[in-house]
Amino acid sequence: MFKESFKYYKSKLPLPSLDNVIDFNNVEKFTKKVTKIILKVTNGEFFGLIPISEWEIYEVDQNPGLIFIKNPFTTLGQRYWTVKCLQEYTKKPNKSNLDPLNLVPDNQEWWDICQNNNDFTLLEKLRWITLGYHHNWDTKIYTEENKNDFPKDLGDLTVFFANTLGYSNFNAEAAIVNYYHLDSTLSGHTDHSEMNLEAPLFSFSLGQTAIFLLGGISKDTKPSAMFLRSGDVVIMSKESRLCYHGVPKIVKSNTKSWDITNCDVNSNEISEEYKTVTDLCKNSTLWRPYGDYLSHSRININVRVWVTKKTTLYNIVNEFLFVCHTEYTV
Ligand code: OGA
Ligand code: MN
């Protein structure tokens, strides 16, 4: 069933109907399929995010444990993470699919070469990088020997989401950043190599829109299809954590939420840690190549968290309490 749906949405001839793809921009049409959830936590702030009280959060009824947060990022937040994924996380010692190809000389950086030489071919060749514990694609094992420091900013962002959703004892340890073009796909898979399979996965999307399929623990369950747009956050927790998922299609977005001007692109209260990159994001000339990249690509940051502290009774109670009110029901 997963394979059939994947093939259906991937098809170019005929093009699939997108009528059944859950669209969180149009939830009224899907009230029988999604439930809005209101968090218990409403205070707390993090750089590049709108206040928690304004977040729109949903669960897909057919997929318990799948949590969808409709773009909680500010324009500046989206720009910041885009620059980090293209210009910084692509640097060594982080690993990428380009490493064995030897296309980037040791003393140079992928992003600089692409920009200085206008090298679109090299730009399009980057498909993934790994951060922290590097995913070994052959053995599918994470080891202590194959590990670099996890970026502090991305770790802090993920822990902020985890804490807000009631997961208070996890640290971000590993991430895969996927780079998609308009014809890219990610075939159906489960993520089961992590050290702690009860810990949720956090997925952040930037740029073009994905059709995301989420099925069951075997390939026999017909998956739900949903649009993931720029800024959307998906958390795969509990029953959804080990379910089959994939991206059969990228669709061109008709809006650019990373380009809304006079939002907060000029905001001043930014801590030193984020300043260098946000200054770049606010400068339209310096930002342009990143915006150009997003106009034909999708970036997905997929963070894996592991338990670092002992589970306490407080953590367990907190996890169960985070949802206090449901708005739409079947
Ligand atoms: C992954 C993954 C989904 C996406 O990296 O394991 O499932 O939305 N990514 O790109
Ligand atoms: Mn995955």
Side-chain angles (χ1 to χ4, degrees):
M1 293 293 267
F2 190 95
K3 271 207 173 119
E4 282 77 10
S5 294
F6 194 93
K7 257 176 112 175
Y8 175 78
Y9 284 111
K10 188 181 168 183
S11 166
K12 292 196 169 115
L13 214 84
L15 281 171
S17 156
L18 304 185
D19 279 357
N20 291 326
V21 182
I22 299 174
D23 185 349
F24 293 94
N25 276 355
N26 186 9
V27 273
E28 294 71 26
K29 189 178 152 195
F30 296 96
T31 48
K32 290 211 168 68
K33 290 190 172 171
V34 304
T35 301
K36 185 169 187 176
I37 59 181
I38 309 284
L39 294 183
K40 204 175 148 59
V41 183
T42 52
N43 54 3
E45 271 179 30
F46 193 86
F47 159 75
L49 297 175
I50 60 173
I52 298 173
S53 55
E54 291 169 28
W55 292 8
E56 263 183 65
I57 311 176
Y58 299 94
E59 271 185 317
V60 178
D61 299 344
Q62 203 197 303
N63 306 87
L66 188 271
I67 302 167
F68 175 95
I69 310 178
K70 190 168 133 184
N71 179 20
F73 288 92
T74 61
T75 302
L76 188 59
Q78 288 196 50
R79 289 188 180 194
Y80 176 88
W81 295 111
T82 302
V83 171
K84 295 294 279 206
C85 288
L86 292 172
Q87 192 241 304
E88 196 186 301
Y89 299 158
T90 49
K91 292 180 180 170
K92 297 239 158 39
N94 300 332
K95 308 218 162 167
S96 97
N97 69 300
L98 297 179
D99 294 346
L101 306 178
N102 287 323
L103 297 170
V104 180
D106 278 347
N107 55 350
Q108 291 181 49
E109 301 300 345
W110 167 80
W111 178 252
D112 298 338
I113 301 178
C114 294
Q115 295 313 307
N116 298 341
N117 306 346
N118 227 337
D119 192 339
F120 193 73
T121 313
L122 183 59
L123 191 75
E124 297 276 282
K125 283 209 163 91
L126 181 74
R127 290 307 316 275
W128 56 261
I129 58 132
T130 50
L131 303 171
Y133 283 84
H134 301 292
H135 185 247
N136 183 322
W137 302 85
D138 301 322
T139 62
K140 304 214 171 9
I141 291 174
Y142 291 101
T143 58
E144 290 299 325
E145 293 71 48
N146 193 6
K147 169 191 172 187
N148 292 106
D149 289 343
F150 194 90
K152 180 179 181 310
D153 53 359
L154 183 58
D156 289 348
L157 175 80
T158 308
V159 168
F160 180 77
F161 276 99
N163 287 341
T164 306
L165 297 178
Y167 291 99
S168 36
N169 53 344
F170 295 104
N171 251 357
E173 300 288 354
I176 298 174
V177 182
N178 299 291
Y179 302 84
Y180 294 83
H181 310 301
L182 291 167
D183 59 355
S184 309
T185 60
L186 176 70
S187 25
H189 66 281
T190 59
D191 294 303
H192 53 256
S193 316
E194 290 70 26
M195 311 242 176
N196 190 292
L197 299 177
E198 288 89 58
L201 290 186
F202 294 81
S203 144
F204 307 105
S205 293
L206 296 161
Q208 298 305 307
T209 304
I211 293 181
F212 178 72
L213 299 184
L214 179 64
I217 51 170
S218 89
K219 284 193 168 167
D220 302 334
T221 309
K222 186 173 183 214
S224 304
M226 61 199 89
F227 289 111
L228 301 187
R229 296 195 171 82
S230 195
D232 290 345
V233 180
V234 165
I235 296 107
M236 288 169 65
S237 70
K238 302 194 172 119
E239 300 94 314
S240 278
R241 174 62 182 79
L242 292 172
C243 288
Y244 272 92
H245 58 282
V247 176
K249 190 179 177 74
I250 304 291
V251 285
K252 189 110 172 77
S253 152
N254 40 27
T255 53
K256 294 182 172 180
S257 58
W258 57 90
D259 252 357
I260 301 166
T261 42
N262 73 35
C263 178
D264 66 346
V265 177
N266 299 315
S267 73
N268 294 319
E269 296 158 28
I270 291 173
S271 81
E272 257 339 281
E273 186 183 353
Y274 301 102
K275 197 107 179 60
T276 317
V277 172
T278 51
D279 282 349
L280 183 159
C281 296
K282 291 179 198 172
N283 177 317
S284 57
T285 312
L286 294 178
W287 162 255
R288 187 162 304 123
Y290 300 94
D292 287 349
Y293 186 89
L294 287 189
S295 68
H296 55 76
S297 315
R298 168 176 187 258
I299 301 174
N300 174 258
I301 313 173
N302 221 280
V303 186
R304 288 98 212 273
V305 301
W306 296 331
V307 172
T308 49
K309 292 178 222 140
K310 264 214 213 117
T311 304
T312 61
L313 187 61
Y314 168 80
N315 298 143
I316 295 168
V317 172
N318 201 21
E319 240 176 70
F320 281 103
L321 280 181
F322 91 92
V323 177
C324 71
H325 176 66
T326 59
E327 222 165 67
Y328 298 110
T329 35
V330 190

